């Protein structure tokens, strides 16, 4: 989205929405709790986090809450022993949650599976034993290339249970993207499915794993475990490939949970950065669980009777934190849907809410805008009265979409919490609680102990109303620990541009009330339908095509997806700029990066604007495209 454009629409937004009195009376954290927590955290943030950590079970208590001796490589709850799976699963078996539904899953065709905590516990134990039998040990990487299935949750938990590290690759990524991640993460095992259903079709997955394993640097992979789902033809390679169902059949349904150091790695999740190489974001067992537990209980006000539906795919951080670990730690029921939200028609989301009595719906602006197009005819056909809280994440939500959702889905009663956070932050950072005063389009204020601010390039706070860089001044437990195999890049990207503070990479402004309005990324990262895609990734995919000499990619505003990519391409000698070439390049991009990389237009140019040092000036292309002032072009080549 254009930052200026965003600023303009948002500046005119002055509507305010207040919670119903009943919400405030019953809330896990009411305005008083929040005020007290803010005050306490301002004086002693570590005491605040220590209290939050005490809501969970630890095998051994920490010696120290925060170890800053090697900053910015902060360590949390050092000396403690724990395992996130103990809190997400094991401990529920001894409580009233034992026979409660952990997962409600629905396939695209309408088939459904439900699992209690006890059933999930047993399934995880069986698979944990199977992983051990495959030689998976503490610290090994296990890659998941999985559609939304209960087995996806089982595989994540089983991996963590044995002390291994899961790294999930979104099923919409290409074989090539997976290969890059395999060569970086060096997993011992890959877990996948034969395929899954999306938009009425069976999508193949296993064949993409086969393709990616043909590349170099993939020797680490000893076993590929395949879950039956779509009955599509797969080739099983002997000695390497095993069916999940056969593998777990004879395993015992008890399995010990590995005792981990608080700072042991839990997962690795790749996210787009400003270079072509995705960043391997590292999260750990101890601090991560503290962040998601607190935010789920406060921001989504989880109650024993809730049915929680976060529409994200488990392959993204939102899925890790708020489809899998958060809801399970909270002991609530998490809803997982396999298919496309408009399949077979545009009321699928409303149908699911009504069918399962969903009480909390956490979704993305791009989906809201997509559903809005169909008006209110579909939601009106379904009983949505179970809903009590709505949430948004992934990109700025435009006030129109916010108000539409609030009125037509939330009956002007359900608070819509706009939650800002990132793969790097692990859990929600800036967000209202359901009891807060809401302004559509603003994620309101930082949660307690999160010292977020808007500053200029030197790190000085900017006055209200003025745009600047979003930073966080103090570390927090669920923060990224480092970038896998690249600690230097971690320091440089987040902690050195403005020394000593965490630089989020977003532009924002604060209003007179201290409310924060996110304007979009400040770097060359696009946000397409809530998914991050680096300009550099798209460009390197393009130049990998034989016809392309140079490429520049920018994000341009889109009514539904927030942003889509436009690519400017110069061709090599002997290739013609034609419609066929556009088609060919679009297919090429899809093969390289997968369907997440949505390139709307490809424009051919004789040359691209560059600085004298040879850097492509995407900013100039973007300004031209949007009919804006191109700004300072003194460094332009000619
Ligand atoms: C959780 C997640 C992070 C980037 C972030 C920002 C954008 C996320 C937002 C938001 C405005 C919100 N973003 N939530 N922008 N309002 N409520 O999305 O993680 O995939 O790492 O993306 O998404 O630009 O920097 P991730």
């Amino acid at each position: 989205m254009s930052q200026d454009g965003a600023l303009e629409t948002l500046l005119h937004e002055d509507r305010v929405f207040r919670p119903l009195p009943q919400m405030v009376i019953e809330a896990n954290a009411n305005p008083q709790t929040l005020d007290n927590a803010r005050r306490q955290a301002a004086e002693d943030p570590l005491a605040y986090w220590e209290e939050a950590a005490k809501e969970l079970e630890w095998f051994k208590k920490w010696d120290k809450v925060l170890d800053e001796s090697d900053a910015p490589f902060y360590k949390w709850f050092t000396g403690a022993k724990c395992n996130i799976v103990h809190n997400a699963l094991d401990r529920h078996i001894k409580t009233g949650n034992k026979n409660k539904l952990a997962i409600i899953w629905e396939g695209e065709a309408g088939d459904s599976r439900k699992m209690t905590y006890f059933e999930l516990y047993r399934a995880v134990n069986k698979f944990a034993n199977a992983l051990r039998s495959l030689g998976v040990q503490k610290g090994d990487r296990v890659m998941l290339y999985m559609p939304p299935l209960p087995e996806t949750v089982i595989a994540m938990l089983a991996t963590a249970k044995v002390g291994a590290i899961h790294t999930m690759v979104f099923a919409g990524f290409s074989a090539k993207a997976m290969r890059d991640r395999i060569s970086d993460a060096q997993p011992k095992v890959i877990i996948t499915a034969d395929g899954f259903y999306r938009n009425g079709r069976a999508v193949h997955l296993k064949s993409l794993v086969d393709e990616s394993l043909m590349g170099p640097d993939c020797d680490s992979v000893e076993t590929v475990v395949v879950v039956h789902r779509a009955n599509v033809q797969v080739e099983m390679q002997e000695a390497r490939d095993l069916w999940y169902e056969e593998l777990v059949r004879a395993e015992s349904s008890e399995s010990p949970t590995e005792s981990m150091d608080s700072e042991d790695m839990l997962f690795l999740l790749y996210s787009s950065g400003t270079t072509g190489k995705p960043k391997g974001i590292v999260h750990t067992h101890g601090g991560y669980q503290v962040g998601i537990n607190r935010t789920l209980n406060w921001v989504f006000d989880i109650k024993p009777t809730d049915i929680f539906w976060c529409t994200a795919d488990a392959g993204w951080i939102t899925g890790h934190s708020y489809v899998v670990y958060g809801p399970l730690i909270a002991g609530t029921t998490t809803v997982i849907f396999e298919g496309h939200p408009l399949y077979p028609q545009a009321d699928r989301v409303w149908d699911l809410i009504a069918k399962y009595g969903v009480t909390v719906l956490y979704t993305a602006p791009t989906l809201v805008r997509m559903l809005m197009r169909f008006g209110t005819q579909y939601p009106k056909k379904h009983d949505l009265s179970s809903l009590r809280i709505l949430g948004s994440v992934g990109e700025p939500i435009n006030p129109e979409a916010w108000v539409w959702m609030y009125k037509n889905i939330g009956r002007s009663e359900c608070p819509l919490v706009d939650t800002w956070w990132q793969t790097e932050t692990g859990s929600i950072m800036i967000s209202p609680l359901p009891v807060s005063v809401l302004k559509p389009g603003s994620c309101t204020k930082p949660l307690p102990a999160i010292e977020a601010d808007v500053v200029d390039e030197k790190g000085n706070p900017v006055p209200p109303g003025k745009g600047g860089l979003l930073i966080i001044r103090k570390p927090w437990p669920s923060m990224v620990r480092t970038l896998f195999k690249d600690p230097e890049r971690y320091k440089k990207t987040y902690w050195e541009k403005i020394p000593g503070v965490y630089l989020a990479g977003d532009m924002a402004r604060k209003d007179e009330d201290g409310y924060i309005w996110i304007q979009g990324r400040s770097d060359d990262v696009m946000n397409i339908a809530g998914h991050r895609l680096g300009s550099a990734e798209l460009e390197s995919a393009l130049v990998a095509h034989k016809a392309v000499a140079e490429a520049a990619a920018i994000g341009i505003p889109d009514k539904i997806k927030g942003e889509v990519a436009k690519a400017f391409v110069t061709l090599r000698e002997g290739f013609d700029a034609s419609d066929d070439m556009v088609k060919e390049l679009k297919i090429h991009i899809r093969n390289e990066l997968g369907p997440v990389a949505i390139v709307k237009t490809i424009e051919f140019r004789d040359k691209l604007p560059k600085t004298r040092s040879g850097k492509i000036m995407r900013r100039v292309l973007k300004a031209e495209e949007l009919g804006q002032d191109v700004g300072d072009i003194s460094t332009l080549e000619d």
Side-chain angles (χ1 to χ4, degrees):
M1 183 187 293
S2 139
Q3 275 146 24
D4 291 337
L7 187 62
E8 206 167 57
T9 45
L10 296 178
L11 272 176
H12 295 171
E13 184 53 53
D14 50 15
R15 284 169 285 189
V16 159
F17 296 82
R18 292 173 197 283
L20 297 183
Q22 200 60 22
M23 189 97 215
V24 179
I25 293 167
E26 292 170 359
N28 292 348
N30 61 34
Q32 192 68 48
T33 326
L34 187 60
D35 275 357
N36 290 344
R38 283 216 169 94
R39 214 169 309 119
Q40 179 201 7
E43 274 168 28
D44 189 352
L46 298 189
Y48 172 84
W49 289 123
E50 184 155 33
E51 228 172 88
K54 284 182 185 159
E55 287 175 11
L56 297 166
E57 291 183 4
W58 303 73
F59 303 142
K60 175 177 171 284
K61 212 189 148 205
W62 47 90
D63 304 321
K64 223 174 162 189
V65 176
L66 172 64
D67 175 357
E68 298 183 276
S69 60
D70 190 23
F73 299 95
Y74 295 98
K75 296 184 183 70
W76 285 89
F77 308 109
T78 49
K81 291 280 186 187
C82 62
N83 188 312
I84 193 168
V85 178
H86 175 81
N87 283 305
L89 205 52
D90 301 353
R91 68 178 169 141
H92 295 307
I93 304 312
K94 299 185 197 90
T95 71
N97 285 337
K98 180 177 173 187
N99 299 317
K100 184 175 170 175
L101 284 185
I103 298 176
I104 297 177
W105 173 87
E106 186 166 299
E108 196 180 67
D111 45 335
S112 130
R113 285 167 64 190
K114 293 178 179 170
M115 283 184 107
T116 64
Y117 274 90
F118 184 58
E119 287 165 333
L120 181 62
Y121 170 79
R122 292 198 138 184
V124 168
N125 286 343
K126 275 172 164 280
F127 195 49
N129 288 332
L131 286 175
R132 284 196 176 102
S133 77
L134 296 174
V136 174
Q137 294 173 352
K138 214 172 189 169
D140 285 341
R141 269 82 58 211
V142 172
M143 184 171 280
L144 273 70
Y145 188 55
M146 287 288 281
L149 286 177
E151 284 74 16
T152 311
V153 181
I154 294 168
M156 288 169 82
L157 296 176
T159 303
K161 182 157 192 150
V162 305
I165 298 158
H166 56 73
T167 177
M168 189 139 173
V169 179
F170 175 56
F173 278 138
S174 64
K176 160 80 168 52
M178 182 159 55
R179 185 183 308 155
D180 293 344
R181 287 156 176 77
I182 294 171
S183 95
D184 195 60
Q186 296 284 294
K188 199 176 229 175
V189 173
I190 295 180
I191 304 162
T192 189
D194 53 352
F196 65 108
Y197 295 100
R198 183 95 179 157
N199 247 328
R201 287 179 309 142
V203 180
H204 287 252
L205 270 188
K206 166 65 166 63
S207 55
L208 294 183
V209 175
D210 295 339
E211 191 185 328
S212 75
L213 286 178
M214 286 191 280
D217 294 334
C218 293
D219 299 341
S220 67
V221 180
E222 294 169 9
T223 313
V224 177
V225 179
V226 189
V227 177
H228 260 121
R229 166 59 192 151
N231 271 327
V232 292
Q233 184 71 36
V234 295
E235 267 174 46
M236 297 295 275
Q237 188 174 311
E238 238 194 276
R240 190 195 70 184
D241 301 350
L242 299 167
W243 287 106
Y244 172 89
E245 294 77 5
E246 286 166 25
L247 183 64
V248 297
R249 189 168 297 140
E251 292 294 348
S252 147
S253 48
E254 284 301 327
S255 181
T257 298
E258 205 69 40
S259 174
M260 308 297 287
D261 284 341
S262 174
E263 281 295 309
D264 277 339
M265 234 169 114
L266 167 64
F267 66 84
L268 177 62
L269 195 55
Y270 289 90
S271 177
S272 294
T274 49
T275 71
K277 192 174 176 291
K279 303 183 278 199
I281 290 167
V282 170
H283 283 287
T284 59
H285 273 264
Y288 176 71
Q289 57 180 354
V290 174
I292 54 180
N293 181 52
R294 171 50 57 94
T295 48
L296 204 78
N297 281 315
W298 283 20
V299 176
F300 294 111
D301 192 47
I302 289 301
K303 296 284 194 296
T305 49
D306 275 319
I307 303 283
F308 186 85
W309 185 19
C310 167
T311 61
D313 187 280
W316 307 107
I317 189 68
T318 307
H320 278 53
S321 300
Y322 299 105
V323 174
V324 182
Y325 287 113
L328 296 180
I329 289 176
T332 191
T333 303
T334 185
V335 175
I336 301 175
F337 172 54
E338 175 189 45
H340 192 281
L342 300 185
Y343 185 88
Q345 58 175 15
D347 72 341
R348 191 63 187 268
V349 171
W350 319 128
D351 180 59
L352 275 158
I353 292 171
K355 189 191 276 176
Y356 299 115
V358 171
T359 57
V360 183
L361 177 70
Y362 189 24
T363 190
T366 182
L367 182 61
V368 175
R369 290 190 295 262
M370 212 154 89
L371 294 167
M372 240 174 104
R373 274 191 314 181
F374 298 91
T376 56
Q377 47 167 337
Y378 288 119
K380 274 195 183 134
K381 273 200 263 175
H382 297 273
D383 177 2
L384 305 180
S385 60
S386 57
L387 285 172
R388 54 181 208 97
I389 295 171
L390 305 171
S392 172
V393 62
E395 49 171 328
I397 182 162
N398 45 313
E400 289 66 32
W402 194 103
V403 172
W404 184 86
M405 191 74 179
Y406 181 80
K407 279 198 177 142
N408 299 302
I409 308 306
R411 316 177 297 278
S412 299
E413 282 179 12
C414 306
L416 197 171
V417 291
D418 180 6
T419 63
W420 179 89
W421 59 294
Q422 307 176 296
T423 308
E424 291 87 342
T425 70
S427 62
I428 298 169
M429 296 276 111
I430 309 176
S431 168
L433 303 191
V435 297
S436 305
V437 176
L438 306 171
K439 299 185 190 183
S442 166
C443 51
T444 73
K445 295 185 181 183
L447 292 173
I450 304 302
E451 278 195 36
D453 203 356
V454 181
V455 301
D456 63 20
E457 266 157 26
K458 296 209 173 68
N460 302 311
V462 298
K466 210 168 167 293
L469 303 166
L470 183 66
I471 57 140
I472 303 172
R473 292 191 195 283
K474 288 222 171 81
W476 62 97
S478 67
M479 65 194 291
V480 48
R481 293 306 194 269
T482 187
L483 296 180
F484 194 60
K485 294 183 179 164
D486 205 350
E488 268 311 303
R489 189 174 176 198
Y490 166 75
K491 276 205 282 196
K492 275 208 197 102
T493 310
Y494 304 111
W495 298 97
E496 283 178 354
K497 289 185 186 135
I498 302 175
V501 303
Y502 173 83
L503 184 70
D506 277 358
M507 299 289 295
R509 81 181 164 86
K510 261 190 196 175
D511 68 16
E512 298 286 346
D513 299 325
Y515 276 46
I516 293 176
W517 303 73
I518 308 287
Q519 298 166 340
R521 300 288 304 183
S522 63
D523 51 18
D524 283 321
V525 178
M526 292 171 258
N527 189 331
I528 301 177
H531 301 149
R532 272 155 77 171
L533 179 71
S535 296
E537 278 171 281
L538 196 52
E539 290 159 7
S540 55
L542 275 164
V543 295
H545 189 280
K546 61 181 184 309
V548 177
E550 276 190 314
I554 58 168
I556 51 174
D558 180 84
K559 275 208 164 63
I560 304 290
K561 306 216 177 295
E563 227 176 18
V564 288
K566 170 160 184 178
F568 297 86
V569 168
T570 61
L571 291 173
R572 288 181 192 279
E573 284 286 318
F575 292 96
D576 291 329
S578 63
D579 288 350
D580 282 345
M581 181 59 80
V582 169
K583 268 189 218 134
E584 188 176 325
L585 291 178
K586 283 190 176 172
I587 294 170
H588 169 74
I589 291 167
R590 203 186 155 92
N591 288 340
E592 290 278 308
L593 299 172
V596 276
I598 303 169
V599 180
K600 195 161 186 187
T601 356
I602 294 180
E603 188 178 313
F604 297 107
R605 292 268 175 112
D606 292 334
K607 61 183 189 176
L608 299 172
K610 282 191 201 153
T611 63
R612 269 165 247 180
S613 63
K615 285 202 179 66
I616 295 173
M617 291 184 87
R618 301 187 186 92
R619 177 169 70 73
V620 171
L621 290 166
K622 187 152 175 166
E624 274 178 19
E625 190 63 31
L626 302 177
Q628 292 167 344
D629 181 14
V630 292
D632 175 23
I633 46 167
S634 55
T635 59
L636 197 63
E637 199 175 34
D638 62 358

